[in-house]
Every structure is written in structure tokens, then in C-alpha cells.
């Protein structure tokens, strides 16, 4: 176990500024370009539903299951009091989860803990897999988990760093777009039961307030995560 822990916590060579910049641009393009976003948005949905599930567990709600759908939507089923802090926290966790995961991952990548990050992702995916209640969701997690395992086991350190950095940027940028899409749907009356509207009914604060709060958290995560990834090359940084 000690050898395994030492392997997991071993640090890799610091990322080059070109790698950080190029991976960020690639992730931004993947999020901004509609066809690539439609193909990759399921990864954001995994983090979104994982956020709901984790918040439910932490607030002692009964987690009944998670479903991931082929249209990149998802649903997390919980049981417990229909009101109160636990329900509010569970409903609020989804839209900010991708950004917060990206922010935490940016610290690990910047510190060189690439292997630790990849195996942490595998553990989280395995926990979600236990609670998946549909075939497509299980297949999605197995494919993603298999890709992460192959990356951690066989890919050279440089490839691991490049893909991990791009994935972090994708989570940071990809956490913002669903919130903007949510508000567009709400304006058109197409999302009456969205997380923001559920929170409005739970707290009596308007749904727009929750959308703005989600957006503030996501935007702050982009700034802080980008700073962590690029801090080594900023003026005044001590190496």
C-alpha cells in the first residue's frame, strides 16, 4: 500500500506554457463549436449528476439512482424530506459541480499530481457506476472509465499531462455553457422544472438568482483554475 501511495502521489514534470495555452484553446473550441459540444457534453452531464449525488449523500438523503441519457441529459433520484437544507444543497450542486471539479483538478495538474487525479476520477466513476440505473448510463461510465484507465496505465507521462490539462480546461469552460443554455430555455418557457426553478420553489428566491449564482461560481472557477495552471509563468512567481 505504501508503494502504491508513493506511485499515486509522485509528481510529473511541470507543464509547459505552450501546452497549457494550446490545451485551453482546444477545450474552448470543443465547447464553443456546436457539433463537438453535442458529442462531448455527456462528460459535463456525468459531473453534473455526480454533483447532485454527492450532495445528497453528504446531506444524508437516500440516493436511489442515477440515469444518463443519450441526449446528454441526466437525472439523479433521491429520497428524503422534499424541503429543507439537504434538498436545497442537492438541487444546487449540479450546475456548479463541473466547474468545481475542474477547479480542484487544476490544482492537482498544476502541482504535477497527474496520476493521483486520474485514479481519483476512476474511483468517482466506479462509485457512480454502482448507482447507475440504465444501460446507456452504465455503458457511458464504462467507456469513460476504460479510457481513463488506459491513459493512466499505458500512456507516456507527457501524453497524460497534455490530456489531463485539456480535460481540466474542458470542465472549466464546459461548466459555463450549460448555465447559459439553461437561462435561454427558461426565457422561452422550456425548462419549468429546471434546477433553478426547483430552487426557486424551495427557497422563494427567484430562479434567475440561482442562475446568476451558478454563473458566478463557474466564471470564478475559470479565472482561478486558469490562474493555477498558468501561475508558474506569471511575473513574480517563485519557482
Amino acid at each position: 500500500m505504501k508503494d502504491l501511495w508513493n506511485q499515486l502521489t509522485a509528481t510529473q514534470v511541470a507543464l509547459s506554457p505552450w501546452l497549457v495555452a494550446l490545451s485551453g484553446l482546444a477545450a474552448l473550441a470543443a465547447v464553443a463549436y456546436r457539433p463537438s459540444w453535442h458529442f462531448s457534453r455527456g462528460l459535463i452531464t456525468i459531473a453534473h449528476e455526480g454533483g447532485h449525488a454527492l450532495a445528497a449523500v453528504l446531506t444524508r438523503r437516500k440516493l436511489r439512482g442515477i440515469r444518463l441519457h443519450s441526449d446528454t441529459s441526466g437525472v439523479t433520484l433521491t429520497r428524503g424530506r422534499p424541503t429543507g437544507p439537504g434538498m436545497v444543497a442537492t438541487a444546487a450542486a449540479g450546475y456548479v459541480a463541473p466547474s468545481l471539479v475542474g477547479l480542484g483538478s487544476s490544482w492537482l495538474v498544476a502541482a504535477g499530481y497527474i496520476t493521483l487525479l486520474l485514479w481519483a476520477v476512476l474511483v468517482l466513476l466506479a462509485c457512480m457506476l454502482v448507482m447507475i440505473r440504465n444501460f446507456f448510463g452504465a455503458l457511458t461510465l464504462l467507456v469513460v472509465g476504460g479510457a481513463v484507465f488506459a491513459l493512466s496505465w499505458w500512456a507516456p507521462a507527457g501524453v497524460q499531462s497534455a490530456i489531463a490539462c485539456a480535460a481540466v480546461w474542458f470542465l472549466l469552460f464546459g461548466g459555463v455553457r450549460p448555465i447559459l443554455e439553461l437561462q435561454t430555455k427558461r426565457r422561452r418557457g422550456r425548462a419549468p422544472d429546471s434546477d433553478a426553478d426547483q430552487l426557486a420553489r424551495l427557497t422563494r428566491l427567484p430562479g434567475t438568482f440561482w442562475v446568476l449564482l451558478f454563473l458566478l461560481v463557474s466564471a470564478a472557477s475559470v479565472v482561478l483554475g486558469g490562474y493555477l495552471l498558468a501561475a508558474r509563468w506569471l511575473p513574480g512567481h517563485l519557482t
Side-chain angles (χ1 to χ4, degrees):
M1 291 299 294
K2 183 178 180 180
D3 291 339
L4 176 60
W5 178 250
N6 289 336
Q7 183 179 355
L8 291 177
T9 56
T11 58
Q12 296 184 10
V13 178
L15 301 173
S16 71
W18 286 106
L19 175 59
V20 173
L22 290 176
S23 61
L25 289 174
L28 180 59
V31 171
Y33 185 50
R34 185 180 296 273
S36 60
W37 171 244
H38 180 74
F39 176 77
S40 59
R41 188 185 178 187
L43 299 174
I44 299 298
T45 303
I46 291 174
H48 179 113
E49 301 305 330
H52 283 314
L54 179 60
V57 171
L58 292 177
T59 57
R60 298 186 178 182
R61 293 183 61 80
K62 179 68 174 180
L63 181 59
R64 298 177 58 189
I66 303 169
R67 291 177 177 268
L68 302 173
H69 302 136
S70 58
D71 62 354
T72 71
S73 66
V75 62
T76 298
L77 304 174
T78 67
R79 184 170 59 196
R81 288 183 57 194
T83 59
M87 187 62 194
V88 172
T90 300
Y95 275 100
V96 298
S99 298
L100 294 179
V101 171
L103 178 58
S105 299
S106 67
W107 178 84
L108 290 174
V109 170
Y113 295 115
I114 306 298
T115 303
L116 181 61
L117 172 61
L118 295 176
W119 281 85
V121 170
L122 286 174
V123 171
L124 293 174
L125 290 175
C127 291
M128 286 189 68
L129 183 61
V130 174
M131 299 307 302
I132 284 291
R133 295 295 181 263
N134 67 322
F135 174 78
F136 181 83
L139 179 63
T140 300
L141 291 186
L142 287 172
V143 170
V144 175
V148 174
F149 176 79
L151 177 66
S152 67
W153 198 258
W154 288 296
V159 175
Q160 290 182 8
S161 297
I163 295 180
C165 189
V168 168
W169 279 118
F170 179 78
L171 285 169
L172 292 171
F173 290 131
V176 177
R177 179 162 179 171
I179 301 170
L180 301 177
E181 293 176 341
L182 168 65
Q183 186 58 19
T184 300
K185 291 180 180 178
R186 292 184 69 249
R187 282 203 307 266
R188 298 173 180 174
R190 293 169 50 195
D193 295 319
S194 69
D195 292 353
D197 292 286
Q198 291 183 48
L199 286 164
R201 292 190 287 269
L202 288 167
T203 64
R204 298 186 181 181
L205 294 170
T208 303
F209 166 83
W210 290 103
V211 174
L212 291 175
L213 181 61
F214 297 159
L215 190 59
L216 177 62
V217 172
S218 296
S221 297
V222 172
V223 174
L224 292 175
Y227 172 80
L228 288 172
L229 291 173
R232 180 178 294 272
W233 303 281
L234 294 177
H237 179 77
L238 298 177
T239 58

